[in-house]
Amino acid sequence: MFGIIALTLTAITAPEEIAIVPQPFIVAPGQGTFTLASDTIIVADRNELEEARYINEVFGMNLLIDGQSKNKKRIHINMDMRFAKLGEEGYRLGISPSEIEIEASTSKGVFYAIQTLRQLAPASTLRIGDNASIEFPAVTVQDHPRFGWRGLMMDTSRHFMPKDSVLKMIDLLAFHKMNSLHLHLSDDQGWRVEIKKYPKLTEVGSMRKETVVGRNTGQYDGTPHGGFYTQDDIREIVAYATKRHVNVVPEIDMPGHMQAAIAAYPHLGDGKPAEVFTRWGVNPRVLNTKPETIQFCKDVLDEITMLFPSDFIHIGGDECPKIKWKESAFCQELMRREGLKDEFELQSYFVRRIEKHLNSKGKQIIGWDEILEGGVAPNATIMSWRGLEGGIEAAQAGHDVIMTPTSYCYLDYYQSDHPDEPLAIGGFLPLQTVYSFEPIPEALNAEESKYILGTQVNLWTEYIPTREKLEYMLFPRLCASAEIGWSAKDREFGDFVHRLVPHLERLQKMGIRPANHLYDIKSNTSGGDGQVQISLDKLADDAQIHYTLDGSTPSPQSPIYDSAIAIQQSTTLKAQCFKQGEAIGRPWQQAIDWHLATGRTITLSEPPHPKYGSGGAQALINGINGSNERYGDAEWLGFDGKDCKLTIDLGQEQTVHAVHFRFFNGEGQWIYLPRKATVALSTDGQSYRAVGQLEDITGADKVITPTIDFEATPARFVQIEVENFG
Ligand code: TNX
């Protein structure tokens, strides 16, 4: 006899964690799941049709859209003024096993509910096609944004961004509930929008013959770079964005950053021929202030106004050197005639004329915070980029403000200090810092705070020539900014990182190549009692650090890091994050070069400069060398003008015969070698005997490593005096 047993094994998988970015105001998980499949219908009436179709589009489905339910599983769109209390962009999304219900008072709210729905689908089934199904967890989400302006600025001038990439960017903004795309359409290095009245702007101004290599090295790549949007392209971009509730704000930067236009029409500048700029930086070739030049700007803006329905038109106003105006007889005469006290007031005169013109067409101007100098135009909105101060001043004077300070919002800055990081403009803006931004400065009271419309991150593209690099620089920092703009103020970085892990997977499924520094290992060193303690950390909590001390590559079999590692000899500590047995993130290592002073105590007569002293005095003797390239790391100490006396207590008497030094030699960065260093020894810490000195410390390398050798001497205390360059 045979017993035949058929077994059906049903995998009971835990429902995926709910991880929505930006975090909604209220998320209340329910019981069970809703299965979206080809027989689900979308219940929507005529004015909900656009968003209903969008559901089909984003999930790659072809669900029946009907005005009423036929007892089927349904997604019910319920747009009604009854829900006005949810706010203009707010929504309620309820998912139960039998239906998905969306409530909102506007199509924006419905649209954002759909974005949340997309992020509730497992990353693996983001777009499923007709014949598959998606499981959604039962949940109720009630949500609305904190700020009305949640933006990204894209610099399309320094490197042109093709239309398709702009469209994709709009989708990504919408996915993160961001609602403003500021297109920087003109700058010294390229004019990017067709203007019918001035065809040379694009014929000449959209193409530069080559581009400088690296940071204005003086070498050029010999490759022409160009591109522009036709007026049809713009109409297509605007229509695409409007459907996704993204407002496209055009910027024509004036009166500075105009060399591409001057290359096309030299009479707009000083009349001398110019070429489209091939280098980066602030450029003295600016527009003149003649009536015909102001007319040119008005004509350009008239076409811009026709193309972009945005209530706001950005007129730039940043970084306008005044040298040309100082030299120009016309400008000086105009200033005299108009009673303008300096060239800053002349810039205000210019901007006011432009504002008046745009106001007459029903548009508001936005300008970078420089337009506050010399008197702000009466109705202008300010983009505060050089810090918070411009924003504070403007809000206190009753002007609307968009907060976009470099220190939190400049995504062209480095996001990691890892030596392999791709070239960026400079600065340091890791994910944590972007996330820590609070757009309402403390200096503003409740009334003034109302003028802060929201926040925006800026992507200047001097060093961003490709789509791949663009994605790397934008993501995931853009996700952090989305949360600053949308979510409640009491958000928490650890929780954000937790949600970011599945969110990054989602982005990858959408074909984006985000940066991922969540598994980069960061170390912290302390010393004393004859040992050095190294603690390790990382941002994400879903991986473990494994490490080795014998030079071998860490594997899942290597010890797990759980508390600070004590080191008592020369060694190389290697570490790596592992997730489910797989290495993840970049490998990390640190050599420790043990010597008599390592792990002992040291005192300094003079504190290091705060900018060059983050590792403290211990950094000098912890056995870890400062970087050969970057003097800004925790291992280098810098002293501003003053001499310093260092005293090391070796803990017990030792035989000492040499002191090895490392000095950073970076004259270009105002970092100078010391004039002199002397060594003295003592057994009691009271009376010292000089044993050697260094003079004429010179060298061509960035790091100079001299030694003072002397006869082997028993000593417990070592005193080193370093004479500053001054
Ligand atoms: C300053 S931000 C600029 C841009 C540069 C950027 C680089 C602003 C209004 N002007 O022209 O591209 O720095 O970070």
Side-chain angles (χ1 to χ4, degrees):
M1 279 274 273
F2 290 99
I4 298 174
I5 308 168
L7 283 181
T8 311
L9 295 178
T10 315
I12 303 174
T13 46
E16 290 206 26
E17 265 185 88
I18 292 176
I20 301 163
V21 178
Q23 175 68 17
F25 268 65
I26 300 171
V27 180
Q31 287 289 321
T33 58
F34 177 92
T35 308
L36 177 69
S38 53
D39 61 347
T40 305
I41 69 164
I42 302 174
V43 179
D45 61 27
R46 194 171 306 143
N47 52 7
E48 298 158 344
L49 212 52
E50 179 122 27
E51 315 307 319
R53 289 194 186 120
Y54 181 72
I55 293 177
N56 271 333
E57 186 185 323
V58 289
F59 290 113
M61 297 179 94
N62 198 12
L63 306 177
L64 181 70
I65 301 171
D66 205 344
Q68 55 181 346
S69 171
K70 300 196 182 85
N71 281 337
K72 284 200 173 162
K73 287 208 168 187
R74 62 179 198 168
I75 300 176
H76 180 202
I77 300 179
N78 193 353
M79 195 167 95
D80 193 301
M81 277 320 285
R82 271 188 298 142
F83 305 120
K85 62 180 182 306
L86 293 169
E88 200 210 340
E89 297 178 294
Y91 64 90
R92 200 189 135 273
L93 171 68
I95 304 180
S96 71
S98 58
E99 73 165 356
I100 293 176
E101 168 123 75
I102 294 171
E103 293 170 347
S105 63
T106 67
S107 58
K108 288 182 190 170
V110 174
F111 183 80
Y112 291 131
I114 298 169
Q115 300 311 325
T116 297
L117 191 62
R118 292 172 77 187
Q119 296 197 12
L120 285 165
S124 52
T125 52
L126 218 49
R127 258 183 85 83
I128 56 165
D130 272 347
N131 299 314
S133 61
I134 312 177
E135 295 275 309
F136 290 96
V139 68
T140 304
V141 178
Q142 191 169 314
D143 206 6
H144 67 272
R146 182 172 171 216
F147 291 105
W149 190 292
R150 307 176 299 277
L152 165 71
M153 189 237 40
M154 277 291 326
D155 168 11
T156 66
S157 171
R158 274 57 178 271
H159 282 100
F160 180 61
M161 189 188 198
K163 183 188 73 190
D164 286 346
S165 293
V166 178
L167 300 183
K168 201 166 173 197
M169 192 52 63
I170 290 167
D171 278 324
L172 286 160
L173 290 178
F175 192 56
H176 293 91
K177 303 189 176 83
M178 293 174 76
N179 61 0
S180 176
L181 175 64
H182 163 180
L183 288 179
H184 184 76
L185 290 167
S186 68
D187 212 304
D188 299 313
Q189 295 84 358
W191 186 280
R192 303 287 175 228
V193 56
E194 178 188 19
I195 300 295
K196 303 268 191 210
K197 188 158 187 187
Y198 300 101
K200 282 192 189 167
L201 285 174
T202 45
E203 281 164 23
V204 175
S206 74
M207 183 64 71
R208 64 174 176 263
K209 69 172 196 273
E210 57 186 355
T211 303
V212 72
V213 175
R215 294 203 192 95
N216 285 349
T217 54
Q219 278 176 19
Y220 290 82
D221 66 2
T223 313
H225 177 85
F228 66 92
Y229 309 109
T230 63
Q231 296 205 346
D232 280 342
D233 288 340
I234 297 288
R235 278 186 275 269
E236 188 182 337
I237 289 169
V238 166
Y240 194 88
T242 305
K243 232 176 117 177
R244 286 154 185 80
H245 304 284
V246 171
N247 183 41
V248 185
V249 180
E251 178 188 353
I252 301 295
D253 201 346
M254 60 184 75
H257 287 290
M258 265 286 181
Q259 190 165 318
I262 295 170
Y265 299 101
H267 70 268
L268 299 171
D270 58 8
K272 295 189 193 121
E275 56 177 26
V276 181
F277 209 35
T278 54
R279 282 182 289 126
W280 313 126
V282 180
N283 179 3
R285 302 203 66 167
V286 304
L287 293 184
N288 62 43
T289 56
K290 293 186 180 155
E292 50 274 33
T293 301
I294 294 179
Q295 189 55 45
F296 160 85
C297 292
K298 290 180 184 172
D299 292 343
V300 167
L301 290 170
D302 285 349
E303 292 194 31
I304 292 290
T305 307
M306 298 284 285
L307 289 169
F308 293 89
S310 170
D311 292 338
F312 292 98
I313 305 288
H314 202 307
I315 52 103
D318 60 315
E319 299 179 329
C320 178
K322 310 291 187 289
I323 315 161
K324 293 275 173 192
W325 293 355
K326 286 201 165 93
E327 289 168 358
S328 149
F330 174 83
C331 289
Q332 293 303 317
E333 167 54 25
L334 177 64
M335 284 165 61
R336 246 189 320 275
R337 211 167 52 228
E338 296 288 334
L340 305 169
K341 111 172 163 294
D342 59 17
E343 288 74 15
F344 291 95
E345 291 198 355
L346 181 56
Q347 179 164 345
S348 290
Y349 164 91
F350 185 105
V351 171
R352 276 178 211 206
R353 255 144 201 79
I354 299 298
E355 178 181 71
K356 198 159 161 228
H357 183 72
L358 281 170
N359 285 173
S360 78
K361 309 249 155 179
K363 301 287 185 181
Q364 295 296 318
I365 66 160
I366 303 182
W368 298 109
D369 56 41
E370 282 95 331
I371 71 164
L372 292 167
E373 298 164 354
V376 62
N379 306 313
T381 296
I382 301 298
M383 266 189 186
S384 186
W385 74 278
R386 292 178 298 177
L388 302 177
E389 295 69 29
I392 295 171
E393 185 188 329
Q396 286 173 339
H399 287 264
D400 283 337
V401 172
I402 295 137
M403 278 296 185
T404 180
T406 53
S407 44
Y408 295 96
C409 299
Y410 270 48
L411 302 191
D412 56 337
Y413 288 11
Y414 281 106
Q415 55 191 311
S416 153
D417 55 8
H418 196 281
D420 292 347
E421 203 54 27
L423 180 72
I425 195 162
F428 183 53
L429 187 54
L431 186 65
Q432 302 88 296
T433 310
V434 178
Y435 197 78
S436 68
F437 184 46
E438 169 49 41
I440 299 189
E442 274 176 18
L444 297 184
N445 63 31
E447 198 44 46
E448 293 158 351
S449 301
K450 291 187 190 143
Y451 291 106
I452 308 292
L453 301 184
T455 184
Q456 169 173 303
V457 278
N458 294 334
L459 195 66
W460 300 101
T461 55
E462 287 95 330
Y463 302 94
I464 304 178
T466 63
R467 169 94 207 166
E468 190 178 358
K469 186 139 177 215
L470 182 109
E471 291 172 358
Y472 181 87
M473 298 306 277
L474 274 180
F475 297 101
R477 290 183 293 179
L478 183 98
C479 311
S481 179
E483 198 143 315
I484 308 299
W486 183 281
S487 304
K489 195 180 169 185
D490 63 348
R491 51 186 188 264
E492 201 253 314
F493 184 63
D495 171 65
F496 171 68
V497 170
H498 200 75
R499 283 177 286 114
L500 195 55
V501 172
H503 191 71
L504 284 176
E505 197 186 324
R506 244 173 239 153
L507 290 175
Q508 267 156 340
K509 284 266 153 52
M510 295 165 97
I512 304 300
R513 293 148 291 187
N516 187 342
H517 298 289
L518 301 182
Y519 304 94
D520 281 3
I521 293 170
K522 296 269 165 231
S523 66
N524 196 20
T525 310
S526 61
D529 294 335
Q531 56 183 17
V532 167
Q533 304 263 0
I534 302 186
S535 50
L536 304 178
D537 205 3
K538 56 182 167 32
L539 293 182
D541 59 6
D542 65 335
Q544 272 175 332
I545 300 176
H546 292 258
Y547 70 95
T548 64
L549 288 165
D550 61 2
S552 63
T553 304
S555 73
Q557 281 70 48
S558 311
I560 295 179
Y561 173 83
D562 55 13
S563 60
I565 301 162
I567 310 273
Q568 285 173 304
Q569 62 189 47
S570 286
T571 188
T572 298
L573 171 60
K574 292 190 177 180
Q576 170 78 55
C577 281
F578 287 88
K579 187 170 166 175
Q580 286 146 9
E582 295 284 326
I584 182 167
R586 298 196 262 217
W588 177 92
Q589 68 174 54
Q590 179 65 67
I592 296 101
D593 184 13
W594 200 264
H595 53 88
L596 291 181
T598 315
R600 299 300 168 185
T601 45
I602 179 168
T603 50
L604 308 181
S605 65
E606 192 57 44
H609 189 274
K611 248 179 102 183
Y612 304 112
S614 65
Q618 277 292 330
L620 293 175
I621 52 167
N622 64 6
I624 300 173
N625 286 342
S627 151
N628 285 335
E629 297 296 327
R630 286 167 297 123
Y631 49 83
D633 70 20
E635 303 302 334
W636 288 107
L637 301 194
F639 297 86
D640 189 7
K642 297 203 184 107
D643 301 342
C644 185
K645 188 192 283 178
L646 333 167
T647 309
I648 301 165
D649 178 355
L650 300 177
Q652 65 197 59
E653 209 163 274
Q654 302 268 15
T655 308
V656 187
H657 65 90
V659 175
H660 300 279
F661 294 84
R662 300 182 83 242
F663 294 121
F664 203 94
N665 180 26
E667 289 200 7
Q669 294 90 35
W670 301 299
I671 293 167
Y672 297 95
L673 294 169
R675 294 208 181 270
K676 192 172 154 191
T678 57
V679 175
L681 302 178
S682 165
T683 46
D684 59 5
Q686 304 290 327
S687 58
Y688 282 87
R689 187 169 67 85
V691 289
Q693 66 174 32
L694 285 174
E695 263 174 323
D696 300 324
I697 309 166
T698 52
D701 293 342
K702 259 194 191 157
V703 175
I704 310 290
T705 56
T707 295
I708 301 182
D709 284 306
F710 42 87
E711 202 175 307
T713 312
R716 177 172 164 179
F717 299 93
V718 181
Q719 206 161 66
I720 299 164
E721 289 195 60
V722 185
E723 193 180 307
N724 205 297
F725 183 84

